[in-house]
Amino acid sequence: MELSSARELKKLVTKSVVQPFVASAVTRRVLSFAAQPIEELEGSHRTFALGIAQKSERDYRLAVRVQRHELRDSSEVARIHEMARGEVDVRYVGRIVKQVPWYQSRERPLKIGLSIAHYLVTAGTLGAFVRRKSAESVLVLSNNHVLANENKAKKGDAVVQPGPFDKGKKGKDSVARLEEFVPLKSTGSNVVDAAVARLTDKLDYDPRDLQSLGRLAGVGEEITSIGGAVAKIGRTTGLRLGRVTAFEVDNLVVTYGIGNLRFDNQIEIEGADTLSFSEGGDSGSLIVDDAQRAVALLFAGGDHGGSNGRGLTYATPIDRVLTILKVNMVS
Amino acid sequence: MKGASLEKARAAKGHALAIFERVAPVVGVGITQTNDGYALKINLRSRPANVAFPDTVDGVPIHIEVVGEIRKFADTSRDAGP
């Protein structure tokens, strides 16, 4: 049939078959529902999704996507077939769920870039796996404000993956316990926003996997020039590329829950092309150079500035983070 | 304008901060580069009206950028959520 006819048929089927069926089914309670609070039954119900399919260049069909198993051979489908005189493409598609990216999901083994947080914090990013000098146990590295709730957490507090904002729960999703944080200071200058949590025994992890970037290749040299290409994998924006726009940034004023804090000696990065380098939730991401060597730990950013106008990101040189926490990268 | 040496740029940071924070909301003073040397990058939360800023401080070129508020990035409040 012609495209205009397919569109007309779609309208007609919506009005004469789908809408009456939904109204009637809800009233008669013929659709199966999982046990849940009654108020959650409000809203749309899975029945039939209608669209237009194409058989050849100028030959169109009504597309019917059946979203419930019990409706596959229903009288409604038979009626649609009849109305379309057979010019219909019916497929069972079942439940359609929102796609959640891997870095916001529950993932084992643990990897760099995953959603993680103290059980009372929304979500940040698992930056890296580190180890105390001459110690066996493995620690996860992120920010104080991700793992230690801006100084409010206690040693031993649960850290969950994914973070609570991504439905991680204390207990079943606990992966580590807070080990140490560098206190954030409301007066004077801060150097790092960093914390480590001790990984649960026998939990599987991959300390070098950087997804499509390759494998983490150790620690890079200190950044003392601009323009260098960098990348990170973070809980909110995943893999993003960027370039250094300033280094040794002092008097960096960052808004926290506990007030405006000052940081010295930080790195500034803008996003490549038309994207930001990071957004809220990417805190704690490990930043690597173009040879996949760790160069900085991301902790803050804003929505303005940068040559593409998508905001700037701030990060602490990784050697400073490792030195202050007295840890080495696990390789 | 000719860029400065890295040492000169580092030495001028404190003086530049003192000059700028008297008249504008400074949220960062860093080192950036020009074609032939180094310069200071002064980040402002907003640009005040009717204020003239110097082009150089102690011979070091000044680049000014309005960057807005800088915030910790575990704040997912603007995230659409799961």
Side-chain angles (χ1 to χ4, degrees):
Chain A
M1 74 180 82
E2 299 208 344
L3 180 57
S4 57
S5 302
R7 284 174 174 152
E8 280 304 311
L9 180 61
K10 183 182 159 197
K11 278 186 199 166
L12 185 63
V13 169
T14 299
K15 194 172 174 185
S16 60
V17 179
V18 178
Q19 287 176 347
F21 173 76
V22 171
S24 162
V26 170
T27 307
R28 292 183 289 119
R29 299 175 184 272
V30 297
L31 299 178
S32 57
F33 296 108
Q36 59 191 308
I38 191 70
E39 60 270 21
E40 291 178 15
L41 275 176
E42 298 296 327
S44 301
H45 303 287
R46 287 182 293 121
T47 55
F48 307 99
L50 301 183
I52 296 170
Q54 198 169 8
K55 189 175 182 187
S56 61
E57 192 180 348
R58 293 187 179 181
D59 190 8
Y60 297 87
R61 296 277 182 277
L62 178 67
V64 179
R65 302 298 178 249
V66 183
Q67 295 185 278
R68 280 182 183 273
H69 187 269
E70 63 266 34
L71 299 179
R72 292 174 79 171
D73 300 315
S74 63
S75 58
E76 285 73 24
V77 171
R79 188 160 169 230
I80 293 170
H81 263 288
E82 195 177 309
M83 290 172 73
R85 292 179 183 152
E87 294 187 77
V88 60
D89 174 13
V90 180
R91 296 181 197 189
Y92 170 66
V93 295
R95 182 188 296 272
I96 310 295
V97 295
K98 187 179 89 168
Q99 294 280 319
V100 177
W102 67 269
Y103 40 84
Q104 292 173 12
S105 305
R106 187 183 197 276
E107 282 277 316
R108 306 291 182 270
L110 295 181
K111 292 173 187 168
I112 290 169
L114 283 172
S115 168
I116 199 167
H118 180 274
Y119 73 99
L120 293 176
V121 173
T122 52
T125 300
L126 192 166
F129 298 90
V130 297
R131 186 177 273 141
R132 293 269 190 230
K133 286 156 188 166
S134 74
E136 280 301 308
S137 55
V138 174
L139 310 170
V140 292
L141 171 67
S142 188
N143 298 136
N144 173 323
H145 77 265
V146 172
L147 298 180
N149 198 14
E150 296 187 32
N151 303 340
K152 291 192 276 290
K154 294 182 178 61
K155 184 176 178 179
D157 275 2
V159 168
V160 297
Q161 194 294 310
F165 193 82
D166 298 320
K167 301 185 177 175
K169 302 279 185 221
K170 185 177 168 184
K172 76 180 180 71
D173 298 314
S174 294
V175 294
R177 294 201 169 274
L178 180 64
E179 174 78 7
E180 183 186 352
F181 59 89
V182 180
L184 293 166
K185 296 185 287 187
S186 299
T187 56
S189 174
N190 292 276
V191 179
V192 300
D193 176 350
V196 286
R198 186 180 297 269
L199 211 57
T200 304
D201 283 347
K202 295 179 183 168
L203 195 64
D204 201 12
Y205 66 98
D206 185 336
R208 294 180 58 205
D209 186 1
L210 293 174
Q211 301 294 305
S212 59
L213 288 174
R215 307 280 291 169
L216 183 63
V219 176
E221 291 172 12
E222 186 179 355
I223 291 174
T224 54
S225 62
I226 69 162
V230 291
K232 71 99 193 61
I233 302 168
R235 174 266 162 204
T236 300
T237 59
L239 172 63
R240 288 273 170 101
L241 308 178
R243 60 183 281 273
V244 176
T245 49
F247 57 96
E248 296 180 21
V249 178
D250 295 343
N251 198 55
L252 176 67
V253 180
V254 183
T255 304
Y256 281 77
I258 57 176
N260 286 348
L261 309 188
R262 176 186 157 170
F263 288 80
D264 285 345
N265 223 342
Q266 306 299 316
I267 298 166
E268 182 185 271
I269 297 161
E270 68 178 8
D273 303 320
T274 58
L275 298 172
S276 61
F277 184 64
S278 69
E279 290 173 20
D282 287 332
S283 262
S285 299
L286 185 71
I287 298 173
V288 297
D289 63 15
D290 56 4
Q292 292 77 53
R293 297 174 304 185
V295 291
L297 186 70
L298 191 157
F299 73 104
D303 303 325
H304 301 276
S307 60
N308 64 7
R310 303 309 296 264
L312 293 163
T313 294
Y314 294 91
T316 307
I318 197 69
D319 59 343
R320 209 149 299 137
V321 175
L322 300 177
T323 301
I324 289 173
L325 285 167
K326 299 186 180 67
V327 293
N328 294 320
M329 303 283 289
V330 175
S331 56
Chain B
M1 190 178 302
K2 188 170 168 50
S5 69
L6 180 56
E7 291 67 33
K8 202 169 174 182
R10 282 174 173 151
K13 279 163 82 179
H15 190 194
L17 174 61
I19 291 171
F20 277 83
E21 70 181 358
R22 279 202 295 267
V23 292
V26 178
V27 291
V29 177
I31 297 175
T32 189
Q33 282 171 285
T34 62
N35 290 335
D36 57 359
Y38 293 87
L40 289 183
K41 184 167 185 281
I42 311 291
N43 290 343
L44 305 180
R45 181 175 288 133
S46 59
R47 189 169 192 128
N50 305 319
V51 173
F53 297 114
D55 294 331
T56 64
V57 170
D58 301 336
V60 180
I62 299 293
H63 294 183
I64 298 169
E65 183 169 22
V66 176
V67 300
E69 179 190 42
I70 307 300
R71 60 189 192 283
K72 63 172 181 171
F73 254 4
D75 178 3
T76 51
S77 58
R78 274 177 254 190
D79 192 317

